[in-house]
Amino acid sequence: MSDVVNGGGGGDSERLQAALVRHFDHRVVSSWLSDLECEDMSDDTATLSTTSPIRRDTISQRFGPQLREALMDAFQRQFRKVRIVTRGRRLSDDARKIDALKSALAQAPLNARPAASASPASKRASDRPAVGLEDLSSAVSPHATFDAYAVDETNDLAFAAARQVFAEGAPPDIVYLSGPSGVGKTHLLFAIANEHRSRYGEGGCLYITYNALQNGTVNAVFGNNMMSLQRELLSKDVLLIDDVHLLQTSPRTQAELLNLVNAALASGKRLVAAGELTPQKLAAAGFNERLADRLSGGLSVPLLAGDAAHRARVLKKRLSIMDASPRIDDEAIEYIAQNFTQSLREAIGALKQLQLAGADLGEKIGRADAERILRARALETRRTPSFEETAAAVAAEFGLTPEEFRSRGQHQRLVRARHVFVMICRENLQESFPRIARFLGRDHTTMMSGYRRAQALVARDKTLREQIGRIREVLWRSR
């Protein structure tokens, strides 16, 4: 079957849409799935159609597994394969155009020669629909506002940079927010979009993910309407582009993003981008050097991962905009902040689970409730300690400073501490001898010898076994 088809029947499509409403958030349905139609529902293959290549690619990449569940719900059978294709023009429209062409040819003089037709390639380009902004835009969480953002020294500059978008008289500039996953970059982009909507109404601000930008660029290039796409984007007052570091394998999209950045600066538009890598690290990773330089030359601000106190503030902010029943006390929030440390998203997810599971507990959820409800989640997501954390725990147990621990000293307490460090790294962290050796500044054969000596000591020394037990408890207690 071709990837461009004519529309199918309505009965199956109505059943599909009813199932989509049950299985997806209403914003996802309205943004991406509302035009899905059933084209062919064979025994083991479901062929669905949508109106644009961008929608087709996005649905396939983002919603595949959940779409299979919706299909099973709608038709009460399992489909081995689900195809998403682009819906072509209706047959009746084509038939009318063919009839009109036949009539024109019949009335033309016999000696009249038809005009030279366009090449097949140009026909394909002109027939391809222009990329619309409705296909590029992504939903924005209405709860992610500036007021709901917890500000501290790890993100205060980024917060100020985001607010500067609305500063009176501020010169237009590129704002680039960088930092690891879960530190609040997307929240700030959403906050800008929500603030712009509250001040100026709908339509003036556009939030785009890297995936939508990539798909839009590909379709615009093949459709020979890249300039049209750029004009559409620049019709917005503020452009927000998320996860630009994931464009690393798309040099053409990087080049078009550079053109967009230059055009935005020239036309006085605001462009705010976010990614995990700093501009310098983007360039080192093989990114377009001119694009990395442009981002570096703008207002480039890093966000850092916060500590437990910062995570607790974020959770309290988030709780203030969630349903207040049941009430979660500060000790339960502190437990989440101390035990879910990989990212803010992880901690917020634990908070949501606690609120949902604690609905039957009455008016208040305390630390003991949080420990019981989230125990399995905490075990699944606990982070493996780093070399630095392990070394600090071992040094503390043996009464050494970090500097003494990594020194070249050979007294018995220091040597034992190093042997224990090697054993824990090898058995609990699952690290290789060469990596352990690089951390301590020694060769791997020394680490192998130290591991064997640690095993022999543990077998006959009860005190050392107890010390190792306390070190392991410290390392994994908060994970």
Side-chain angles (χ1 to χ4, degrees):
M1 179 177 289
S2 170
D3 280 346
V4 179
V5 300
N6 291 306
D12 287 346
S13 298
E14 291 176 1
R15 291 167 62 186
L16 173 63
Q17 285 296 323
L20 293 176
V21 171
R22 292 192 294 270
H23 285 262
F24 289 89
D25 184 89
H26 69 91
R27 289 170 294 186
V28 173
V29 174
S30 62
S31 298
W32 296 105
L33 307 177
S34 59
D35 68 341
L36 265 185
E37 292 185 4
C38 297
E39 297 292 341
D40 181 45
M41 313 300 286
S42 64
D43 290 339
D44 62 349
T45 301
T47 301
L48 311 178
S49 68
T50 186
T51 53
S52 75
I54 288 181
R55 286 179 179 269
R56 176 196 65 202
D57 296 341
T58 301
I59 293 170
S60 298
Q61 294 169 13
R62 292 175 55 184
F63 308 120
Q66 205 169 348
L67 183 57
R68 288 177 183 272
E69 295 178 3
L71 283 166
M72 187 174 180
D73 179 19
F75 299 100
Q76 298 300 307
R77 57 192 173 99
Q78 187 77 39
F79 291 96
R80 184 178 61 84
K81 184 178 180 181
V82 178
R83 294 181 61 218
I84 311 293
V85 298
T86 304
R87 187 159 58 249
R89 295 167 297 187
R90 297 296 188 216
L91 183 61
S92 59
D93 294 336
D94 288 339
R96 281 195 295 271
K97 291 181 181 179
I98 291 172
D99 289 343
L101 180 60
K102 285 180 178 179
S103 176
L105 289 173
Q107 297 173 12
L110 291 177
N111 60 353
R113 297 179 61 87
S117 61
S119 67
S122 63
K123 282 185 177 181
R124 286 194 297 270
S126 60
D127 286 345
R128 189 182 295 265
V131 180
L133 293 187
E134 67 277 4
D135 294 321
L136 294 180
S137 64
S138 297
V140 172
S141 170
H143 301 303
T145 64
F146 285 123
D147 289 339
Y149 196 76
V151 183
D152 69 357
E153 64 277 3
T154 66
N155 57 27
D156 54 351
L157 289 178
F159 183 80
R163 293 300 299 261
Q164 186 171 303
V165 171
F166 303 99
E168 288 290 337
D173 207 347
I174 303 300
V175 177
Y176 180 61
L177 310 174
S178 62
S181 175
V183 294
K185 303 184 299 295
T186 299
H187 186 131
L188 285 176
L189 296 183
F190 285 174
I192 293 172
N194 286 319
E195 183 73 12
H196 194 279
R197 183 184 298 111
S198 68
R199 292 187 182 208
Y200 309 113
E202 299 282 351
C205 182
L206 183 68
Y207 170 74
I208 310 173
T209 65
Y210 85 95
N211 192 46
L213 181 63
Q214 187 177 36
N215 290 336
T217 298
V218 169
N219 285 287
V221 168
F222 279 106
N224 198 26
N225 50 29
M226 193 65 228
M227 292 301 295
S228 174
L229 174 61
Q230 189 176 108
R231 284 194 297 270
E232 288 274 356
L233 292 171
L234 291 175
S235 68
K236 301 297 182 180
D237 298 323
V238 180
L239 288 175
L240 310 171
I241 305 176
D242 207 355
D243 288 331
V244 297
H245 65 285
L246 295 176
L247 295 174
Q248 183 176 349
T249 59
S250 304
R252 181 56 192 264
T253 307
Q254 294 175 37
E256 295 302 338
L257 179 56
L258 173 63
N259 293 335
L260 182 63
V261 168
N262 291 333
L265 284 172
S267 59
K269 302 292 185 178
R270 302 280 187 175
L271 191 149
V272 185
E276 291 189 4
L277 302 180
T278 64
Q280 294 76 17
K281 290 183 178 179
L282 285 175
F287 239 67
N288 184 306
E289 291 187 2
R290 292 179 60 200
L291 174 59
D293 185 60
R294 273 283 187 267
L295 296 176
S296 179
L299 192 55
S300 177
V301 186
L303 289 85
L304 305 176
D307 57 12
H310 174 67
R311 287 190 293 275
R313 286 193 294 271
V314 172
L315 294 174
K316 290 176 182 178
K317 284 268 189 179
R318 178 56 64 101
L319 197 60
S320 69
I321 61 175
M322 295 167 64
D323 185 3
S325 178
R327 190 169 73 84
I328 300 175
D329 70 14
D330 289 348
E331 289 188 357
I333 290 177
E334 288 174 5
Y335 170 80
I336 296 175
Q338 292 166 359
N339 287 273
F340 296 88
T341 60
Q342 294 190 42
S343 73
L344 285 173
R345 290 191 183 95
E346 179 190 53
I348 292 171
L351 179 67
K352 292 178 178 178
Q353 179 180 339
L354 181 61
Q355 186 185 42
L356 179 64
D360 298 329
L361 295 179
E363 297 182 355
K364 185 178 179 181
I365 297 176
R367 183 184 180 96
D369 299 316
E371 290 177 356
R372 176 176 54 80
I373 292 170
L374 300 174
R375 182 180 296 114
R377 187 184 185 116
L379 290 173
E380 289 177 0
T381 60
R382 67 181 183 181
R383 180 175 60 86
T384 301
S386 65
F387 280 137
E388 290 79 5
E389 292 168 331
T390 305
V394 171
E397 175 64 32
F398 282 86
L400 301 168
T401 66
E403 293 75 19
E404 290 173 330
F405 176 76
R406 300 186 67 171
S407 71
R408 292 283 179 174
Q410 294 295 322
H411 59 83
Q412 184 184 37
R413 182 157 51 99
L414 177 55
V415 171
R416 281 200 167 200
R418 283 200 291 261
H419 292 342
V420 168
F421 174 79
V422 173
M423 172 175 272
I424 292 176
C425 289
R426 185 69 179 159
E427 295 183 353
N428 298 103
L429 275 61
Q430 302 295 308
E431 290 287 358
S432 65
F433 287 122
R435 279 177 51 83
I436 301 170
R438 280 197 296 272
F439 177 76
L440 291 178
R442 289 162 173 78
D443 62 82
H444 74 282
T445 57
T446 303
M447 300 299 100
M448 294 171 67
S449 174
Y451 179 57
R452 288 193 294 268
R453 294 181 68 177
Q455 287 178 311
L457 288 169
V458 166
R460 64 175 185 264
D461 191 332
K462 179 181 177 182
T463 301
L464 186 62
R465 290 198 298 271
E466 291 174 349
Q467 286 180 297
I468 293 174
R470 288 194 293 270
I471 293 168
R472 286 171 172 159
E473 182 181 355
V474 167
L475 287 173
W476 273 274
R477 180 173 54 204
S478 61
R479 292 171 171 79

